[in-house]
């Protein structure tokens, strides 16, 4: 819908926990190898939250960075959306803790669309701004998945990491969020789930004994195939909606679940390899945080310039998925930031 009032991303930020966990760590607790993990997923290490680190603390650190870079005062933010499936607590929302930590005074809520959370949050923020209900919306994707991982299950424990990414949206004269699509197929809900801990199945001694309080993925290959098919069709739909083609894109930033999923997505879209960002090597799958962390990394490394078209695509538990086409509008980083960010990645990427 064209309203003459649009939303654009004016700033980004990210935060990772201190503790680096290399693949070798898992060799000591389950039957796996660094080689298997690297070859099958592209992951070499991830970060796990330590004492004092949580979904709220990482969210606040990422949000603070985004606000600072934009020069925006906390009191002038109109809405906070924290996208997470690993909340600080069940009650109240993670957003309540993040609001306080950031010194915001605005309404705030959590949004759970698992790995698709940030794309869902971006779409809600875009609609709020276009409708004139808000001027400044802070969308944060944040997860501490390490605290819901079954460290005896090699099919899941090696895949995930903790972190947070933030994006500040403000009104613009041109569309910054050009087109989006969101989808969910609840019939596949059991494929990836944390069975106990909600009202459907409270945590009991029996549930703990059966390890039902941890994340379970019943069929990784099925999730892999669904992820490629759903993200490719979401991307195609969004490009069609926007009247654009894959050649117009500077970068595709897909949910960082597996490097092979992203390579397959790029092939389906007919894209050159360098146009598909793979940023999983040092962070693993950070669910709702993965796209905003990758976006922040791409910005800091100087890969994005104002006017560039970036296509995002996400897929995760639900199964929920979505895509959004973004015209990049944040000011470029300074040379010191670019050099530091390129140094960070030079060992692997
Ligand atoms: N180390 C060593 N071997 C392993 C490991 C491991 N960590 N995990 C599984 N294996 C074994 C399996 O047991 C299997 O052994 P078998 O042949 O003796 O039965 C073998 O490796 C092959 O297993 P596959 O499942 O076929 O391996 P695949 O190549 O499909 O890779 C993976 C598995 C990485 C999980 C892949 O399917 C995948 O990435 N799926 C998508 C997962 C995902 O993205 N989940 C999250 C999406 S939603 C969200 O982000 C919340």
């Amino acid at each position: 819908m064209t309203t003459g009032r649009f939303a654009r991303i004016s700033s980004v930020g990210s935060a990772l926990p201190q503790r680096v966990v290399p693949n070798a760590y898992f060799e000591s607790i389950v039957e796996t190898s660094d080689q298997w993990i690297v070859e099958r997923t592209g992951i070499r290490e991830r970060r796990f939250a330590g004492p004092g680190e949580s979904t709220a603390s990482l969210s606040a650190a990422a949000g603070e960075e985004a606000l600072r870079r934009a020069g925006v005062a906390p009191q002038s933010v109109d809405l906070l959306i924290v996208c997470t499936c690993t909340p600080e607590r069940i009650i109240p929302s993670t957003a309540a803790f993040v609001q306080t930590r950031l010194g915001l005074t605005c309404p705030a809520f959590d949004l759970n669309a698992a790995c698709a959370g940030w794309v869902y949050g971006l779409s809600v923020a875009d609609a709020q701004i276009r409708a004139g209900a808000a001027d400044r919306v802070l969308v944060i994707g944040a997860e501490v998945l390490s605290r819901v991982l079954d460290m005896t299950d090699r099919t899941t424990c090696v895949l995930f990491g903790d972190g947070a990414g933030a994006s500040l949206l403000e009104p613009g004269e041109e569309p910054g969020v050009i087109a989006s699509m969101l989808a969910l197929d609840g019939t596949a809900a059991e494929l990836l789930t944390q069975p106990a801990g909600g009202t459907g199945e409270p945590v009991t001694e029996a549930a703990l004994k059966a390890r039902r309080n941890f994340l379970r993925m019943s069929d990784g290959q099925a999730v892999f195939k669904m992820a490629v098919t759903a993200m490719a069709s979401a991307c195609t739909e969004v490009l069609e909606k926007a009247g654009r083609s894959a050649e117009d894109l500077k970068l595709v930033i897909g949910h960082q679940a597996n490097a092979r999923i992203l390579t397959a997505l790029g092939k389906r879209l007919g894209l050159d390899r360098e146009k598909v960002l793979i940023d999983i090597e040092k962070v693993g799958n950070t669910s709702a945080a993965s796209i905003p962390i990758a976006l922040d990394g791409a910005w800091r490394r100087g890969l994005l310039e104002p006017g560039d078209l970036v296509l995002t695509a996400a897929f995760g538990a639900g199964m929920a998925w979505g895509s959004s086409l973004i015209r990049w509008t944040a000011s470029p980083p300074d040379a010191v930031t670019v050099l530091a960010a390129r140094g960070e990645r030079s060992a692997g990427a």
Side-chain angles (χ1 to χ4, degrees):
M1 187 176 62
T2 307
T3 60
R5 187 183 151 91
F6 303 105
R8 65 182 187 93
I9 293 178
S10 60
S11 177
V12 287
S14 68
L16 296 175
Q18 290 289 315
R19 182 181 165 210
V20 176
V21 180
N23 288 346
Y25 168 77
F26 297 96
E27 290 177 344
S28 65
I29 57 170
V30 289
E31 204 180 319
T32 191
S33 66
D34 174 51
Q35 190 189 351
W36 190 94
I37 301 169
V38 173
E39 281 178 9
R40 306 311 293 165
T41 70
I43 301 166
R44 287 184 193 276
E45 61 186 43
R46 72 288 290 140
R47 302 289 184 98
F48 279 177
E53 290 176 321
S54 65
T55 304
S57 76
L58 294 168
S59 295
E64 196 274 327
E65 191 167 71
L67 293 181
R68 184 172 41 77
R69 284 178 182 159
V72 161
Q75 300 80 3
S76 69
V77 175
D78 298 311
L79 179 66
L80 166 68
I81 306 174
V82 179
C83 312
T84 185
C85 60
T86 49
E88 187 82 0
R89 295 185 196 171
I90 302 295
I91 301 170
S93 66
T94 307
F97 298 103
V98 180
Q99 189 223 40
T100 310
R101 282 175 182 260
L102 286 174
L104 308 180
T105 49
C106 60
F109 62 90
D110 285 9
L111 185 160
N112 180 355
C115 303
W118 183 85
V119 170
Y120 269 63
L122 186 79
S123 172
V124 173
D126 177 47
Q128 286 275 317
I129 291 174
R130 282 181 188 245
D135 276 341
R136 288 181 171 144
V137 184
L138 186 59
V139 181
I140 299 175
E143 305 285 5
V144 177
L145 286 146
S146 62
R147 297 203 174 124
V148 299
L149 289 179
D150 183 346
M151 294 299 177
T152 65
D153 175 11
R154 69 176 183 174
T155 66
T156 51
C157 70
V158 302
L159 301 177
F160 297 94
D162 304 336
S167 334
L168 181 67
L169 282 95
E170 298 188 67
E173 284 168 15
E174 300 283 326
V177 182
I178 298 171
S180 303
M181 78 79 76
L182 305 175
L184 186 137
D185 176 7
T187 62
E190 295 297 336
L191 268 179
L192 188 59
T193 179
Q194 185 184 345
T199 56
E201 185 178 340
V203 176
T204 58
E205 227 170 277
L208 289 175
K209 211 168 162 198
R211 311 186 74 77
R212 292 179 63 77
N213 55 314
F214 293 123
L215 189 72
R216 289 180 171 195
M217 183 166 62
S218 53
D219 186 346
Q221 275 196 18
V223 175
F224 188 111
K225 285 177 193 154
M226 282 180 77
V228 176
T229 306
M231 287 199 291
S233 89
C235 286
T236 305
E237 185 178 325
V238 165
L239 284 173
E240 272 172 20
K241 249 192 203 180
R244 295 288 191 161
S245 69
E247 292 91 72
D248 299 331
L249 301 173
K250 176 73 179 287
L251 220 47
V252 170
I253 302 190
H255 168 48
Q256 307 286 313
N258 186 321
R260 292 187 297 131
I261 291 178
L262 295 166
T263 304
L265 174 66
K267 274 193 190 143
R268 290 259 182 123
L269 295 175
L271 285 168
D272 296 338
R273 269 181 67 179
E274 65 275 7
K275 282 197 173 181
V276 181
L277 190 81
I278 299 185
D279 192 37
I280 194 172
E281 185 172 278
K282 287 174 181 274
V283 289
N285 177 350
T286 57
S287 187
S290 89
I291 292 177
I293 288 174
L295 206 49
D296 177 63
W299 173 79
R300 283 189 293 120
R301 275 175 275 152
L303 300 181
L304 294 173
E305 284 165 21
D308 284 346
L309 291 185
V310 181
L311 186 62
T312 66
F315 181 84
M319 306 310 277
W321 66 96
S323 170
S324 53
L325 180 66
I326 295 164
R327 179 179 291 109
W328 194 249
T329 44
S331 312
D334 57 35
V336 176
T337 304
V338 174
L339 279 176
R342 289 185 179 169
E344 261 172 42
R345 286 292 192 278
S346 61

